[in-house]
Amino acid sequence: MQTDEKLNFARQLVLQAACQLREDQRQQLPSLLAAQRAEKKIISQIRRRFHRQRFLDAQTTEDDLSGPVWILDPLAGKINYEIWGCHYAISLAYYEEGQPVFGLIADVQREDLYTGVTMAGAWKNDTALPVLTGDKSLSECVAEISLDSVAELKRRRGIQLEKLGPLLRAHRSTGCAALSLCQIAQGQLDLMLSARLSPQHYAAAVILLNETQAVWGLPFQRRALISSSPTVFLAASQRTLYTQLVNQYLSVNRL
């Protein structure tokens, strides 16, 4: 089956690229050059193995997702890569006719690989991620929200997220959206809100969210859920949390 073949090939390719990135980081290679090397390796190998494959990456400006499309972020968390040498990732997703098929996220420094396959499940390495259950109040939640997002949502949309801060248990900004979404899929993080998130950052991870029954969406986007344009992005470990944030803090229609 070609999907299985593509998944297995992509998994090995991402692991190889992660090894290359670890070595690049040890050699203190600049993040831009390391990202270019990883991107070239992944794209060239996929195109060599499979014909007529298209890619949505940082240079792509089109929204056409017809046919088979790969969505790639070769180095998510570039500042983390350069400053800390950890909490950076490779994110690769495969979509057909705009629908998610599978996604891979490599936590490069920890050598963990997250896999999500539509209608089949999600895994951290070889361990299946369970479906998220339970219910939480905001006072129990840890959220991923950056100061940049707080400022931009206020400036562009008049949303006053500073009112949300005191209601949360804690809020963080770790600088790698793909890995933060993996944390939501594992129940380690409760909320993530970004004022400007590109599909390269979330296309793979949302497949894990789908398979663990977390909730995500683009609250102000009326077009297809995956496009080339950065947009407001919200994810939550539970539907009640997602709906509460949308209704009470983002002032848009209920999910």
Side-chain angles (χ1 to χ4, degrees):
M1 182 178 181
Q2 194 176 47
T3 296
D4 292 338
E5 181 185 359
K6 285 183 175 178
L7 173 59
N8 292 332
F9 183 78
R11 183 184 287 120
Q12 293 305 312
L13 190 54
V14 167
L15 290 173
Q16 292 169 16
C19 287
Q20 177 180 290
L21 272 181
R22 281 193 295 275
E23 182 58 30
D24 288 346
Q25 198 281 325
R26 281 192 288 268
Q27 298 294 327
Q28 297 185 328
L29 202 68
S31 60
L32 180 59
L33 182 55
Q36 289 172 342
R37 279 163 49 86
E39 181 178 61
K40 181 178 179 180
K41 179 182 183 66
I42 291 170
I43 291 179
S44 64
Q45 292 292 329
I46 288 175
R47 283 181 168 156
R48 185 175 297 129
R49 179 69 174 267
F50 305 105
H51 299 298
R52 295 185 296 277
Q53 304 298 291
R54 294 170 50 244
F55 284 83
L56 179 64
D57 55 23
Q59 287 73 47
T60 304
T61 58
E62 64 180 36
D63 287 343
D64 180 14
L65 292 180
S66 60
V69 178
W70 300 81
I71 305 175
L72 172 64
D73 188 346
L75 179 47
K78 291 181 178 65
I79 293 177
N80 296 346
Y81 165 94
E82 292 194 340
I83 295 178
W84 296 325
C86 63
H87 207 69
Y88 61 94
I90 298 171
S91 175
L92 178 65
Y94 177 65
Y95 282 60
E96 289 183 346
E97 304 300 339
Q99 299 302 311
V101 180
F102 62 78
L104 300 162
I105 304 99
D107 185 337
V108 176
Q109 200 61 32
R110 290 191 174 94
E111 300 189 34
D112 289 327
L113 181 66
Y114 295 90
T115 305
V117 181
T118 297
M119 302 299 292
W123 297 264
K124 178 182 179 181
N125 301 319
D126 296 325
T127 302
L129 300 183
V131 170
L132 296 170
T133 59
D135 195 14
K136 278 188 175 182
S137 64
L138 285 177
S139 63
E140 299 173 288
C141 290
V142 178
E144 174 90 3
I145 306 174
S146 72
L147 287 174
D148 285 344
S149 287
V150 172
E152 182 164 343
L153 286 169
K154 186 172 185 176
R155 182 176 65 254
R156 291 180 175 272
R157 300 184 182 276
I159 295 171
Q160 298 180 349
L161 279 181
E162 61 269 23
K163 295 181 179 181
L164 176 63
L167 303 179
L168 297 167
R169 181 180 180 185
H171 50 87
R172 301 283 185 266
S173 180
T174 55
C176 183
L179 292 180
S180 294
L181 293 173
C182 289
Q183 287 184 299
I184 289 181
Q186 296 175 90
Q188 298 172 349
L189 185 68
D190 303 297
L191 296 163
M192 178 183 159
L193 176 61
S194 173
R196 286 180 59 82
L197 204 63
S198 297
Q200 295 83 5
H201 302 144
Y202 64 80
V206 296
I207 302 174
L208 277 77
L209 299 184
N210 292 342
E211 295 304 307
T212 55
Q213 294 187 18
V215 183
W216 67 278
L218 313 180
F220 298 97
Q221 188 94 335
R222 296 189 179 277
R223 297 179 298 166
L225 285 179
I226 298 290
S227 74
S228 64
S229 304
T231 188
V232 178
F233 178 96
L234 174 63
S237 59
Q238 301 158 26
R239 182 171 293 273
T240 54
L241 288 173
Y242 184 101
T243 303
Q244 184 177 3
L245 255 72
V246 167
N247 288 346
Q248 296 183 17
Y249 298 97
L250 300 186
S251 301
V252 295
N253 292 330
R254 180 183 294 271
L255 178 70

